Amino acid sequence: NGTPDQLKSINQNVVGNVVSEDGSHLSEITALIMVINQNGKTCQKKINTLIEAGANPDQKVSYYGKELSARDIASKYRTNIII
């Protein structure tokens, strides 16, 4: 979450973890993937801002058991998003 301006100040390529309620590891995730998953009204602007600030749309992470990048996820599941 955050405004496009706030997203400029984070480390855009940090890999975080998605954990279940019991604390077990489910997946890796990046800021770019989080915004893609939100698919909100300002999603494209946030994605553009993250990429302009240095986010790597081709960075692969272990996303729910598959090696995927933000670009892979957008092209497969969010075809309205342009990367």
Side-chain angles (χ1 to χ4, degrees):
N1 286 328
T3 66
D5 282 339
Q6 290 170 325
L7 295 174
K8 292 177 186 177
S9 65
I10 66 168
N11 185 338
Q12 294 84 13
N13 293 306
V14 167
V15 177
N17 293 298
V18 178
V19 295
S20 67
E21 289 183 14
D22 68 5
S24 61
H25 176 81
L26 298 174
S27 179
E28 294 178 337
I29 197 162
T30 64
L32 203 49
I33 293 171
M34 282 189 261
V35 172
I36 289 168
N37 286 342
Q38 291 172 358
N39 203 28
K41 291 179 183 177
T42 61
C43 178
Q44 186 66 60
K45 184 172 183 173
K46 289 180 178 181
I47 288 167
N48 295 347
T49 299
L50 283 167
I51 292 172
E52 288 168 10
N56 179 358
D58 297 308
Q59 177 183 6
K60 300 279 187 179
V61 297
S62 178
Y63 188 73
Y64 292 96
K66 297 178 182 175
E67 290 295 313
L68 296 171
S69 68
R71 188 183 309 274
D72 296 333
I73 293 166
S75 67
K76 187 170 184 176
Y77 302 107
R78 302 280 194 237
T79 55
N80 59 307
I81 295 171
I82 299 166
I83 295 183

XYZ file of all heavy atoms in Angstrom:
632
model
N 0.832 -1.192 0.000
C 0.000 0.000 0.000
C 0.867 1.242 0.000
O 2.058 1.177 0.176
C -0.917 -0.004 1.217
C -2.044 -1.000 1.088
O -2.529 -1.266 0.000
N -2.457 -1.557 2.197
N 0.244 2.358 -0.157
C 0.960 3.614 -0.202
C 0.684 4.341 -1.490
O 0.208 3.768 -2.463
N 1.025 5.607 -1.489
C 0.856 6.419 -2.688
C 2.042 6.183 -3.626
O 3.096 5.696 -3.188
C 0.808 7.915 -2.327
O 2.095 8.298 -1.806
C -0.287 8.215 -1.310
N 1.897 6.540 -4.892
C 3.046 6.406 -5.789
C 4.289 7.136 -5.262
O 5.398 6.606 -5.350
C 2.538 7.012 -7.101
C 1.077 6.704 -7.085
C 0.676 6.895 -5.630
N 4.105 8.326 -4.689
C 5.256 9.050 -4.147
C 5.916 8.305 -2.989
O 7.132 8.293 -2.865
C 4.850 10.452 -3.694
C 4.701 11.413 -4.866
O 5.271 11.129 -5.941
O 4.010 12.432 -4.705
N 5.123 7.663 -2.147
C 5.680 6.890 -1.031
C 6.454 5.674 -1.537
O 7.450 5.273 -0.951
C 4.572 6.439 -0.076
C 3.946 7.563 0.717
C 2.702 7.129 1.468
O 1.923 6.302 1.000
N 2.526 7.693 2.650
N 6.010 5.099 -2.646
C 6.671 3.913 -3.188
C 8.063 4.212 -3.733
O 8.880 3.311 -3.873
C 5.807 3.268 -4.273
C 4.477 2.691 -3.790
C 3.647 2.202 -4.964
C 4.697 1.575 -2.780
N 8.340 5.483 -4.030
C 9.668 5.874 -4.511
C 10.737 5.701 -3.440
O 11.909 5.522 -3.750
C 9.668 7.333 -4.969
C 8.863 7.599 -6.199
C 8.879 9.085 -6.512
C 7.953 9.416 -7.663
N 7.906 10.859 -7.924
N 10.327 5.743 -2.170
C 11.306 5.757 -1.080
C 11.597 4.383 -0.480
O 12.388 4.283 0.449
C 10.824 6.702 0.030
O 9.637 6.191 0.613
N 10.993 3.329 -1.000
C 11.253 1.991 -0.458
C 12.336 1.296 -1.279
O 12.656 1.726 -2.387
C 9.975 1.126 -0.428
C 9.487 0.826 -1.866
C 8.888 1.778 0.400
C 8.418 -0.228 -1.942
N 12.891 0.217 -0.749
C 13.809 -0.612 -1.524
C 12.942 -1.514 -2.401
O 12.375 -2.491 -1.930
C 14.715 -1.424 -0.601
C 15.752 -2.204 -1.368
O 15.590 -2.489 -2.549
N 16.818 -2.569 -0.694
N 12.830 -1.182 -3.655
C 11.862 -1.802 -4.551
C 12.103 -3.275 -4.842
O 11.187 -3.971 -5.251
C 11.815 -1.035 -5.891
C 11.283 0.352 -5.800
C 12.336 1.373 -5.392
O 13.520 1.097 -5.402
N 11.896 2.550 -5.009
N 13.314 -3.762 -4.656
C 13.616 -5.145 -5.039
C 13.798 -6.097 -3.863
O 14.261 -7.222 -4.048
C 14.858 -5.167 -5.940
C 14.566 -4.500 -7.266
O 13.618 -4.847 -7.959
N 15.353 -3.509 -7.616
N 13.405 -5.663 -2.669
C 13.483 -6.552 -1.508
C 12.487 -7.691 -1.694
O 11.353 -7.476 -2.129
C 13.165 -5.786 -0.204
C 12.940 -6.731 0.959
C 14.281 -4.828 0.124
N 12.918 -8.892 -1.369
C 12.032 -10.053 -1.431
C 11.497 -10.294 -0.025
O 12.260 -10.511 0.912
C 12.777 -11.305 -1.955
C 11.856 -12.513 -1.944
C 13.319 -11.045 -3.354
N 10.177 -10.223 0.097
C 9.520 -10.481 1.371
C 8.900 -11.860 1.382
O 8.963 -12.600 0.390
N 8.300 -12.192 2.493
C 7.672 -13.501 2.645
C 6.197 -13.360 2.955
O 5.799 -12.494 3.725
C 8.335 -14.278 3.780
C 9.748 -14.646 3.446
O 9.982 -15.370 2.488
N 10.700 -14.154 4.200
N 5.395 -14.227 2.364
C 3.986 -14.351 2.702
C 3.904 -15.527 3.669
O 4.414 -16.614 3.371
C 3.131 -14.630 1.442
C 1.669 -14.813 1.818
C 3.314 -13.533 0.416
N 3.296 -15.291 4.829
C 3.181 -16.357 5.833
C 1.714 -16.579 6.182
O 0.892 -15.665 6.100
C 3.996 -16.033 7.105
C 5.475 -15.990 6.815
C 3.545 -14.740 7.726
N 1.413 -17.786 6.586
C 0.047 -18.119 6.989
C -0.200 -17.622 8.408
O 0.726 -17.146 9.079
C -0.173 -19.628 6.919
O 0.626 -20.267 7.896
N -1.419 -17.746 8.868
C -1.757 -17.315 10.223
C -0.942 -18.057 11.273
O -0.666 -17.518 12.340
C -3.247 -17.491 10.475
C -4.094 -16.495 9.715
C -5.574 -16.614 10.022
O -5.938 -17.274 11.011
O -6.362 -16.040 9.252
N -0.540 -19.290 10.983
C 0.256 -20.048 11.956
C 1.754 -19.794 11.807
O 2.573 -20.402 12.488
C -0.049 -21.545 11.888
C 0.422 -22.215 10.602
O 1.083 -21.564 9.767
O 0.124 -23.417 10.429
N 2.116 -18.884 10.894
C 3.514 -18.498 10.738
C 4.304 -19.306 9.736
O 5.493 -19.067 9.552
N 3.682 -20.246 9.052
C 4.429 -21.042 8.075
C 4.573 -20.273 6.756
O 3.703 -19.506 6.351
C 3.759 -22.397 7.846
O 2.458 -22.231 7.345
N 5.702 -20.486 6.118
C 6.047 -19.799 4.870
C 5.164 -20.294 3.727
O 5.064 -21.493 3.488
C 7.523 -20.060 4.547
C 7.956 -19.490 3.242
N 8.290 -18.172 3.090
C 8.098 -20.063 2.026
C 8.622 -17.955 1.819
N 8.517 -19.094 1.164
N 4.552 -19.356 3.003
C 3.721 -19.711 1.854
C 4.370 -19.344 0.528
O 4.265 -20.074 -0.446
C 2.361 -19.004 1.940
C 1.474 -19.342 3.129
C 0.235 -18.454 3.133
C 1.087 -20.806 3.102
N 5.036 -18.173 0.503
C 5.535 -17.662 -0.765
C 6.522 -16.529 -0.531
O 6.569 -15.952 0.553
C 4.363 -17.133 -1.594
O 4.792 -16.616 -2.826
N 7.280 -16.207 -1.575
C 8.058 -14.973 -1.611
C 7.258 -13.951 -2.403
O 6.399 -14.315 -3.216
C 9.412 -15.210 -2.272
C 10.318 -16.118 -1.488
C 11.645 -16.376 -2.178
O 11.730 -16.231 -3.424
O 12.584 -16.733 -1.474
N 7.562 -12.665 -2.172
C 6.819 -11.611 -2.854
C 7.663 -10.344 -2.910
O 8.535 -10.152 -2.060
C 5.462 -11.366 -2.161
C 4.506 -10.601 -3.060
C 5.651 -10.706 -0.798
C 3.049 -10.707 -2.637
N 7.433 -9.527 -3.912
C 8.096 -8.219 -4.026
C 7.026 -7.134 -3.999
O 5.831 -7.404 -4.162
C 8.888 -8.107 -5.343
O 7.956 -8.162 -6.440
C 9.941 -9.186 -5.464
N 7.459 -5.891 -3.844
C 6.523 -4.764 -3.846
C 5.752 -4.708 -5.162
O 4.539 -4.466 -5.176
C 7.269 -3.456 -3.610
N 6.439 -4.958 -6.255
C 5.791 -4.918 -7.564
C 4.694 -5.977 -7.672
O 3.592 -5.699 -8.154
C 6.859 -5.121 -8.650
C 6.594 -4.629 -10.050
C 6.097 -3.197 -10.086
C 7.852 -4.770 -10.885
N 4.963 -7.171 -7.185
C 3.961 -8.235 -7.217
C 2.784 -7.883 -6.311
O 1.620 -8.125 -6.658
C 4.582 -9.593 -6.839
C 5.565 -10.038 -7.916
C 3.495 -10.648 -6.638
C 6.401 -11.257 -7.561
N 3.055 -7.280 -5.152
C 1.963 -6.882 -4.258
C 1.023 -5.902 -4.943
O -0.202 -6.037 -4.853
C 2.511 -6.270 -2.973
C 3.025 -7.283 -1.995
S 3.416 -6.536 -0.416
C 5.167 -6.361 -0.577
N 1.581 -4.920 -5.638
C 0.750 -3.929 -6.323
C -0.030 -4.587 -7.459
O -1.215 -4.309 -7.651
C 1.600 -2.744 -6.830
C 0.780 -1.808 -7.697
C 2.202 -1.991 -5.656
N 0.601 -5.475 -8.197
C -0.092 -6.195 -9.269
C -1.265 -6.976 -8.692
O -2.365 -6.974 -9.249
C 0.876 -7.116 -10.028
C 1.840 -6.279 -10.862
C 0.118 -8.118 -10.907
C 3.009 -7.054 -11.422
N -1.058 -7.632 -7.572
C -2.134 -8.408 -6.943
C -3.295 -7.534 -6.494
O -4.444 -7.973 -6.511
C -1.602 -9.206 -5.751
C -0.793 -10.395 -6.172
O -0.865 -10.845 -7.303
N 0.003 -10.912 -5.258
N -3.010 -6.293 -6.086
C -4.077 -5.382 -5.656
C -5.013 -5.039 -6.811
O -6.210 -4.900 -6.617
C -3.490 -4.091 -5.085
C -2.786 -4.281 -3.776
C -2.058 -3.020 -3.342
O -2.055 -2.002 -4.045
N -1.423 -3.085 -2.188
N -4.446 -4.857 -7.990
C -5.222 -4.563 -9.197
C -6.203 -3.408 -8.977
O -7.313 -3.421 -9.494
C -5.950 -5.821 -9.679
C -6.302 -5.758 -11.148
O -5.639 -5.106 -11.929
N -7.361 -6.461 -11.523
N -5.779 -2.419 -8.190
C -6.633 -1.285 -7.864
C -6.648 -0.214 -8.944
O -5.977 -0.319 -9.971
N -7.411 0.839 -8.671
C -7.574 1.931 -9.641
C -6.254 2.624 -9.971
O -6.052 3.070 -11.090
C -8.569 2.956 -9.114
C -9.981 2.448 -9.058
C -10.918 3.502 -8.496
C -12.320 2.952 -8.370
N -13.253 3.919 -7.774
N -5.358 2.726 -8.982
C -4.076 3.406 -9.208
C -2.932 2.420 -9.433
O -1.768 2.794 -9.387
C -3.735 4.331 -8.025
O -3.631 3.533 -6.836
C -4.773 5.411 -7.833
N -3.292 1.189 -9.710
C -2.296 0.124 -9.872
C -1.266 0.451 -10.944
O -0.067 0.343 -10.708
C -3.013 -1.180 -10.183
S -1.946 -2.579 -10.463
N -1.688 0.841 -12.127
C -0.745 1.100 -13.211
C 0.198 2.231 -12.851
O 1.390 2.153 -13.119
C -1.490 1.410 -14.517
C -0.581 1.536 -15.719
C 0.096 0.225 -16.093
O -0.562 -0.757 -16.389
N 1.423 0.209 -16.075
N -0.318 3.280 -12.225
C 0.542 4.401 -11.829
C 1.570 3.952 -10.798
O 2.742 4.329 -10.864
C -0.308 5.543 -11.274
C 0.502 6.766 -10.941
C -0.352 7.954 -10.573
C 0.557 9.147 -10.326
N -0.175 10.378 -10.126
N 1.158 3.112 -9.847
C 2.090 2.608 -8.837
C 3.156 1.721 -9.472
O 4.328 1.793 -9.121
C 1.337 1.839 -7.752
C 0.506 2.714 -6.844
C -0.218 1.877 -5.804
C -1.027 2.726 -4.861
N -1.708 1.904 -3.842
N 2.753 0.887 -10.413
C 3.707 0.014 -11.105
C 4.716 0.851 -11.883
O 5.924 0.608 -11.817
C 2.972 -0.971 -12.031
C 2.258 -2.012 -11.170
C 3.917 -1.635 -13.019
C 1.257 -2.845 -11.906
N 4.236 1.848 -12.602
C 5.135 2.726 -13.353
C 6.124 3.406 -12.421
O 7.322 3.494 -12.718
C 4.341 3.768 -14.131
C 3.476 3.167 -15.217
O 3.616 2.010 -15.582
N 2.547 3.958 -15.722
N 5.634 3.886 -11.277
C 6.486 4.559 -10.299
C 7.546 3.614 -9.756
O 8.720 3.974 -9.655
C 5.642 5.133 -9.140
O 4.723 6.095 -9.677
C 6.509 5.787 -8.086
N 7.147 2.397 -9.388
C 8.105 1.416 -8.859
C 9.191 1.102 -9.883
O 10.376 1.050 -9.550
C 7.382 0.139 -8.424
C 6.643 0.198 -7.103
C 5.714 -1.007 -6.947
C 7.640 0.251 -5.940
N 8.799 0.887 -11.116
C 9.782 0.563 -12.162
C 10.705 1.746 -12.418
O 11.926 1.583 -12.532
C 9.072 0.080 -13.440
C 8.418 -1.288 -13.171
C 10.054 -0.007 -14.609
C 7.529 -1.791 -14.288
N 10.153 2.952 -12.475
C 10.983 4.146 -12.665
C 11.968 4.326 -11.510
O 13.077 4.830 -11.706
C 10.101 5.388 -12.794
C 9.354 5.471 -14.099
C 8.276 6.544 -14.114
O 8.210 7.367 -13.170
O 7.480 6.546 -15.067
N 11.569 3.884 -10.310
C 12.427 4.014 -9.124
C 13.432 2.870 -9.005
O 14.255 2.858 -8.088
C 11.568 4.104 -7.866
N 13.360 1.880 -9.902
C 14.359 0.823 -9.900
C 13.852 -0.590 -9.684
O 14.645 -1.535 -9.640
N 12.553 -0.784 -9.545
C 12.031 -2.146 -9.385
C 12.301 -2.951 -10.647
O 12.121 -2.461 -11.759
C 10.533 -2.117 -9.087
N 12.731 -4.184 -10.463
C 13.054 -5.060 -11.583
C 11.847 -5.956 -11.875
O 11.585 -6.895 -11.130
C 14.276 -5.915 -11.241
C 14.648 -6.870 -12.346
O 13.992 -6.959 -13.378
N 15.716 -7.622 -12.124
N 11.123 -5.715 -12.972
C 9.945 -6.524 -13.271
C 10.274 -7.960 -13.673
O 9.388 -8.805 -13.726
C 9.275 -5.771 -14.416
C 10.378 -5.015 -15.064
C 11.338 -4.663 -13.959
N 11.550 -8.241 -13.921
C 11.960 -9.589 -14.325
C 12.629 -10.372 -13.195
O 13.116 -11.483 -13.425
C 12.887 -9.496 -15.537
C 12.163 -8.887 -16.726
O 11.068 -9.376 -17.061
O 12.672 -7.899 -17.294
N 12.655 -9.808 -11.990
C 13.232 -10.498 -10.829
C 12.362 -11.710 -10.485
O 11.171 -11.576 -10.211
C 13.284 -9.537 -9.640
C 13.803 -10.152 -8.371
C 13.755 -9.164 -7.202
O 13.230 -8.064 -7.320
N 14.301 -9.563 -6.092
N 12.958 -12.878 -10.518
C 12.225 -14.115 -10.214
C 12.221 -14.365 -8.709
O 13.223 -14.151 -8.027
C 12.864 -15.318 -10.910
C 12.914 -15.225 -12.420
C 11.608 -15.593 -13.056
C 11.771 -15.654 -14.575
N 10.550 -16.019 -15.243
N 11.066 -14.801 -8.211
C 10.928 -15.220 -6.817
C 10.164 -16.539 -6.797
O 9.503 -16.898 -7.778
C 10.196 -14.162 -5.947
C 10.980 -12.869 -5.871
C 8.783 -13.912 -6.429
N 10.236 -17.229 -5.693
C 9.470 -18.460 -5.531
C 8.057 -18.067 -5.109
O 7.762 -17.873 -3.927
C 10.118 -19.359 -4.477
O 9.343 -20.526 -4.303
N 7.187 -17.898 -6.096
C 5.827 -17.412 -5.871
C 4.873 -18.600 -5.830
O 4.557 -19.183 -6.856
C 5.450 -16.422 -6.972
C 4.141 -15.719 -6.746
C 4.022 -14.736 -5.777
C 3.024 -16.028 -7.502
C 2.826 -14.081 -5.566
C 1.825 -15.377 -7.304
C 1.729 -14.410 -6.329
O 0.537 -13.761 -6.119
N 4.507 -18.964 -4.629
C 3.616 -20.107 -4.393
C 4.080 -21.352 -5.153
O 3.306 -22.004 -5.846
C 2.161 -19.744 -4.716
C 1.616 -18.731 -3.736
C 1.626 -17.376 -4.026
C 1.138 -19.131 -2.495
C 1.163 -16.439 -3.113
C 0.664 -18.205 -1.567
C 0.681 -16.861 -1.889
O 0.228 -15.946 -0.982
N 5.366 -21.634 -5.018
C 5.930 -22.860 -5.566
C 6.415 -22.778 -7.005
O 6.905 -23.768 -7.548
N 6.265 -21.616 -7.644
C 6.725 -21.456 -9.025
C 7.684 -20.280 -9.093
O 7.498 -19.281 -8.412
C 5.548 -21.185 -9.960
C 4.555 -22.321 -10.041
C 3.410 -21.965 -10.947
C 2.399 -23.105 -10.978
N 1.217 -22.753 -11.752
N 8.714 -20.396 -9.919
C 9.653 -19.290 -10.124
C 9.024 -18.327 -11.124
O 8.940 -18.624 -12.323
C 10.996 -19.807 -10.643
C 11.790 -20.589 -9.617
C 12.232 -19.731 -8.432
O 12.755 -18.626 -8.651
O 12.031 -20.173 -7.292
N 8.549 -17.189 -10.614
C 7.859 -16.215 -11.451
C 8.356 -14.810 -11.162
O 8.816 -14.516 -10.066
C 6.346 -16.254 -11.182
C 5.599 -17.533 -11.530
C 4.176 -17.474 -11.007
C 5.597 -17.742 -13.041
N 8.222 -13.947 -12.148
C 8.533 -12.525 -11.979
C 7.219 -11.735 -11.989
O 6.159 -12.257 -12.350
C 9.423 -12.042 -13.128
O 8.690 -12.046 -14.339
N 7.315 -10.459 -11.641
C 6.138 -9.584 -11.711
C 5.614 -9.545 -13.148
O 4.407 -9.573 -13.382
C 6.504 -8.189 -11.225
N 6.520 -9.508 -14.110
C 6.106 -9.484 -15.523
C 5.348 -10.771 -15.879
O 4.321 -10.733 -16.568
C 7.319 -9.319 -16.435
C 6.951 -9.104 -17.886
C 8.171 -9.010 -18.792
N 9.190 -8.085 -18.373
C 9.200 -6.785 -18.663
N 8.219 -6.257 -19.367
N 10.190 -6.014 -18.263
N 5.843 -11.918 -15.396
C 5.161 -13.193 -15.653
C 3.736 -13.170 -15.102
O 2.786 -13.580 -15.779
C 5.906 -14.359 -14.986
C 7.294 -14.596 -15.535
O 7.559 -14.264 -16.707
O 8.130 -15.113 -14.759
N 3.603 -12.693 -13.866
C 2.294 -12.673 -13.204
C 1.346 -11.721 -13.908
O 0.181 -12.058 -14.162
C 2.456 -12.323 -11.709
C 3.204 -13.458 -11.005
C 1.110 -12.055 -11.041
C 3.731 -13.113 -9.633
N 1.831 -10.540 -14.257
C 0.981 -9.562 -14.946
C 0.521 -10.094 -16.300
O -0.659 -9.973 -16.650
C 1.720 -8.241 -15.110
N 1.432 -10.684 -17.059
C 1.054 -11.144 -18.398
C 0.102 -12.337 -18.349
O -0.721 -12.508 -19.250
C 2.293 -11.483 -19.229
O 2.954 -12.605 -18.709
N 0.169 -13.118 -17.294
C -0.691 -14.301 -17.196
C -2.032 -14.009 -16.524
O -3.070 -14.533 -16.944
C 0.037 -15.398 -16.428
C -0.707 -16.721 -16.418
C 0.128 -17.846 -15.878
C -0.628 -19.156 -15.973
N 0.159 -20.288 -15.545
N -2.013 -13.180 -15.469
C -3.217 -13.004 -14.652
C -3.813 -11.602 -14.677
O -4.966 -11.411 -14.302
C -2.910 -13.359 -13.188
C -2.407 -14.763 -13.020
C -1.074 -15.017 -12.730
C -3.268 -15.857 -13.166
C -0.602 -16.307 -12.569
C -2.805 -17.152 -13.019
C -1.470 -17.371 -12.718
O -1.005 -18.651 -12.576
N -3.045 -10.591 -15.063
C -3.504 -9.200 -15.036
C -3.195 -8.551 -16.380
O -2.373 -7.651 -16.477
C -2.834 -8.421 -13.914
C -3.037 -8.976 -12.542
C -4.399 -8.588 -12.003
N -4.461 -8.844 -10.572
C -5.354 -9.621 -10.009
N -6.263 -10.240 -10.742
N -5.373 -9.793 -8.697
N -3.851 -9.007 -17.402
C -3.529 -8.551 -18.755
C -3.847 -7.074 -18.982
O -3.416 -6.494 -19.972
C -4.249 -9.410 -19.813
O -5.658 -9.401 -19.537
C -3.732 -10.845 -19.781
N -4.561 -6.461 -18.053
C -4.840 -5.027 -18.150
C -3.650 -4.186 -17.704
O -3.609 -2.989 -17.946
C -6.056 -4.671 -17.292
C -5.867 -5.025 -15.824
O -5.535 -6.169 -15.498
N -6.095 -4.077 -14.943
N -2.658 -4.815 -17.068
C -1.486 -4.115 -16.560
C -0.373 -4.178 -17.605
O -0.067 -5.239 -18.140
C -1.019 -4.716 -15.220
C -2.092 -4.490 -14.168
C 0.311 -4.138 -14.793
C -1.837 -5.211 -12.868
N 0.230 -3.024 -17.846
C 1.311 -2.948 -18.841
C 2.628 -2.785 -18.121
O 2.809 -1.868 -17.322
C 1.086 -1.752 -19.781
C -0.233 -1.936 -20.525
C 2.244 -1.607 -20.761
C -0.715 -0.693 -21.219
N 3.557 -3.696 -18.403
C 4.907 -3.598 -17.829
C 5.886 -3.487 -18.969
O 5.847 -4.208 -19.915
C 5.239 -4.832 -16.942
C 4.325 -4.847 -15.750
C 6.690 -4.808 -16.532
C 4.586 -5.947 -14.758
